[in-house]
Amino acid sequence: MSVNRKLGFLFFILILSCQLSFAQKSKTQLQKEKQENLEKIAQAEKILSETKGKKQNTLGQLSALNQRIKTQEDLINSIRGEMYLLNDEIDENNAIIESLSKDLDQLKKEYAAMIYAASKASKGQNKLTFLFSAKSFNQLVMRYKYLEQYSAARKKQAEQITKVQEVLADQTTVIQSKVSEKNILLAENVQENKSLAELKKSQSSLVTNLQKQENKLKRDLEDRKNAVAKLDKLINDIIKAEIEKARIAEKSTIEASTKLASEFADNKTKLPWPVQGFVSQKFGKQNHPVLRGIVMNNTNINIQTKQNEKVKSIFSGIVSKVAFVDLVGNTVIISHGDYFTVYAGLRDVFIKTGDQVTIGQEIGTILTNKDGVSELKFAIHKSAAALDPMLWLAKN
């Protein structure tokens, strides 16, 4: 295989291997993911600091700390992903450098052999002596062509040596840059792992303190169950009333409602979040984060956020009800045809029953409870059936 063809083949292998190695995520994707994780850490840190401000051990503080740990772990995974990618690139560059070095050695040997062969063929004579010592005109022409071709071949060989040397130097520079980049990431990884260890230590301490408050937690849980039961009854009563209203509505109203419901359904997995934050309690059944043997059943998701955050409508619709529920706060129910979205845990409300709202419209401000926790209870219903909002909202 010629050197030019071999160089081309090496570059093809380099490109191919870069596409295959860490195929699930590119370097750009990993760096973007890393930046997103840093932003989430800042948000989680802000929420956590607000819950710490009350100097109490609360479930809200534990949720914020758990989220902070999760974002820290995600950041570490992003850094490790970059490191794995760099390792692959360094290995590939080392392979190319090794191959190029072998090519360079071979080219130099071939070049030396050519010089030796030329010297031997002319028996130490200079070019003119070699030409004019020909025994015939034809031999003179043949010797001239031979010297011309040999000179061109030797020039080409020298050019190839220079070319390989340049490529080799470039690859060496690239690998030095990647090694430096990797060393920076290694230092970051060590530091972030130290932060993670401190966070987990705080988590363990907080859980231990909360476990000592078992009786208080059980009383709070019972109060929450009663409050949620009132909220669920309010939602069900409103939905029943809306269904009855739709049953006797005019044809044009029914058609508009059906169209709105269809548009809502078409946007499944693409709907915006009602507030920025993280899910502190998922939909459905799950174990209590501290009390053993206690299973909670959630008909909504809880989104923990920062103080004074504005809550927004996730889709266009009509406000079916604005009401206040003890231990929950103000609640807004918006109808989107036979779909309903519920926003509970508001301090202030900017809209009233019967208003038409648009997607992204601010409908109120989040309520912050006595423990410094700002949390929205968000639900989606289709008629009377509660749906998992996480299956409808866009990936956060």
Side-chain angles (χ1 to χ4, degrees):
M1 183 183 291
S2 70
V3 173
N4 284 336
R5 287 181 62 193
K6 192 168 184 179
L7 283 173
F9 179 72
L10 280 170
F11 293 138
F12 171 76
I13 292 297
L14 174 61
I15 293 168
L16 182 62
S17 57
C18 283
Q19 290 172 338
L20 292 176
S21 59
F22 223 84
Q24 66 273 30
K25 289 179 182 176
S26 68
K27 188 173 181 180
T28 303
Q29 287 173 319
L30 285 166
Q31 289 175 337
K32 181 183 177 184
E33 184 181 275
K34 179 180 172 182
Q35 184 57 41
E36 289 172 350
N37 285 326
L38 287 170
E39 291 170 4
K40 286 180 181 179
I41 282 176
Q43 183 186 67
E45 194 64 46
K46 172 66 175 172
I47 295 171
L48 180 58
S49 67
E50 290 174 352
T51 61
K52 282 181 177 177
K54 296 294 180 178
K55 299 184 188 245
Q56 297 178 19
N57 298 307
T58 65
L59 290 177
Q61 186 179 342
L62 180 59
S63 294
L65 185 54
N66 288 341
Q67 176 65 13
R68 179 65 183 83
I69 288 171
K70 180 183 179 299
T71 54
Q72 186 71 19
E73 289 173 338
D74 289 342
L75 174 63
I76 289 171
N77 286 334
S78 296
I79 292 172
R80 285 176 180 168
E82 283 192 75
M83 286 169 60
Y84 293 148
L85 196 60
L86 275 172
N87 280 335
D88 286 345
E89 291 176 356
I90 288 169
D91 288 344
E92 288 155 5
N93 276 281
N94 277 329
I96 290 173
I97 287 173
E98 184 180 355
S99 183
L100 287 171
S101 297
K102 289 179 180 178
D103 284 342
L104 186 59
D105 288 341
Q106 186 60 34
L107 282 169
K108 286 179 177 178
K109 287 177 183 177
E110 291 173 0
Y111 188 73
M114 289 175 70
I115 298 296
Y116 176 75
S119 175
K120 189 175 180 181
S122 62
K123 295 179 182 179
Q125 305 175 61
N126 61 32
K127 288 184 181 179
L128 287 176
T129 305
F130 178 65
L131 284 173
F132 291 112
S133 63
K135 295 179 180 179
S136 65
F137 180 75
N138 286 338
Q139 191 180 54
L140 174 68
V141 172
M142 291 297 292
R143 286 188 176 189
Y144 179 79
K145 288 182 178 179
Y146 166 77
L147 288 174
E148 192 176 54
Q149 290 170 358
Y150 206 81
S151 176
R154 198 163 56 182
K155 182 181 178 182
K156 185 177 181 182
Q157 193 81 349
E159 288 172 352
Q160 286 181 327
I161 289 173
T162 302
K163 184 177 179 181
V164 171
Q165 286 174 328
E166 288 172 353
V167 174
L168 190 55
D170 289 342
Q171 289 299 313
T172 302
T173 302
V174 167
I175 203 168
Q176 287 171 347
S177 171
K178 292 186 184 301
V179 168
S180 297
E181 193 176 346
K182 181 185 173 182
N183 288 335
I184 292 170
L185 287 171
L186 279 169
E188 282 184 28
N189 191 49
V190 169
Q191 185 57 46
E192 298 302 341
N193 272 297
K194 285 182 181 177
S195 298
L196 180 60
E198 288 298 318
L199 288 167
K200 287 191 173 181
K201 185 178 177 181
S202 299
Q203 180 192 46
S204 178
S205 175
L206 180 55
V207 169
T208 300
N209 290 334
L210 285 169
Q211 286 171 339
K212 294 175 183 177
Q213 304 174 27
E214 183 174 347
N215 291 333
K216 180 181 181 301
L217 289 176
K218 285 182 176 178
R219 288 195 302 271
D220 290 346
L221 181 60
E222 193 60 31
D223 290 342
R224 283 184 63 189
K225 280 183 179 178
N226 293 334
V228 169
K230 289 180 183 178
L231 177 61
D232 286 343
K233 185 178 185 305
L234 171 68
I235 294 168
N236 290 331
D237 288 346
I238 295 299
I239 290 175
K240 283 180 183 177
E242 290 291 337
I243 290 172
E244 180 60 23
K245 191 191 298 183
R247 188 180 67 80
I248 60 175
E250 295 180 1
K251 184 179 178 181
S252 59
T253 303
I254 295 173
E255 288 175 349
S257 177
T258 302
K259 183 174 182 292
L260 184 59
S262 177
E263 290 172 352
F264 186 90
D266 288 342
N267 281 276
K268 185 175 182 179
T269 73
K270 295 180 284 187
L271 295 167
W273 282 61
V275 68
Q276 288 300 311
F278 65 90
V279 176
S280 51
Q281 188 174 338
K282 296 180 181 178
F283 177 88
K285 292 183 178 180
Q286 53 233 279
N287 294 325
H288 192 279
V290 176
L291 299 174
R292 294 177 182 177
I294 293 181
V295 178
M296 303 178 295
N297 190 18
N298 220 13
T299 56
N300 53 264
I301 59 172
N302 293 5
I303 305 174
Q304 200 164 328
T305 185
K306 295 178 287 187
Q307 293 178 12
N308 301 314
E309 282 291 292
K310 297 296 187 292
V311 179
K312 301 175 182 179
S313 170
I314 68 163
F315 204 73
S316 301
I318 299 172
V319 180
S320 296
K321 187 73 174 179
V322 176
F324 179 83
V325 179
D326 288 337
L327 298 178
V328 174
N330 288 311
T331 299
V332 173
I333 302 174
I334 301 175
S335 67
H336 317 275
D338 59 352
Y339 287 93
F340 298 85
T341 52
V342 182
Y343 312 77
L346 304 179
R347 184 187 69 209
D348 307 311
V349 178
F350 309 147
I351 53 178
K352 63 184 184 300
T353 300
D355 282 357
Q356 288 190 339
V357 295
T358 57
I359 185 170
Q361 181 176 333
E362 292 182 354
I363 60 174
T365 307
I366 198 70
L367 172 71
T368 300
N369 66 19
K370 59 184 176 57
D371 295 326
V373 178
S374 308
E375 193 171 59
L376 176 73
K377 291 181 179 297
F378 176 68
I380 299 178
H381 287 251
K382 183 177 184 184
S383 297
L387 307 176
D388 184 353
M390 293 297 288
L391 301 178
W392 289 78
L393 298 175
K395 187 176 180 182
N396 194 2

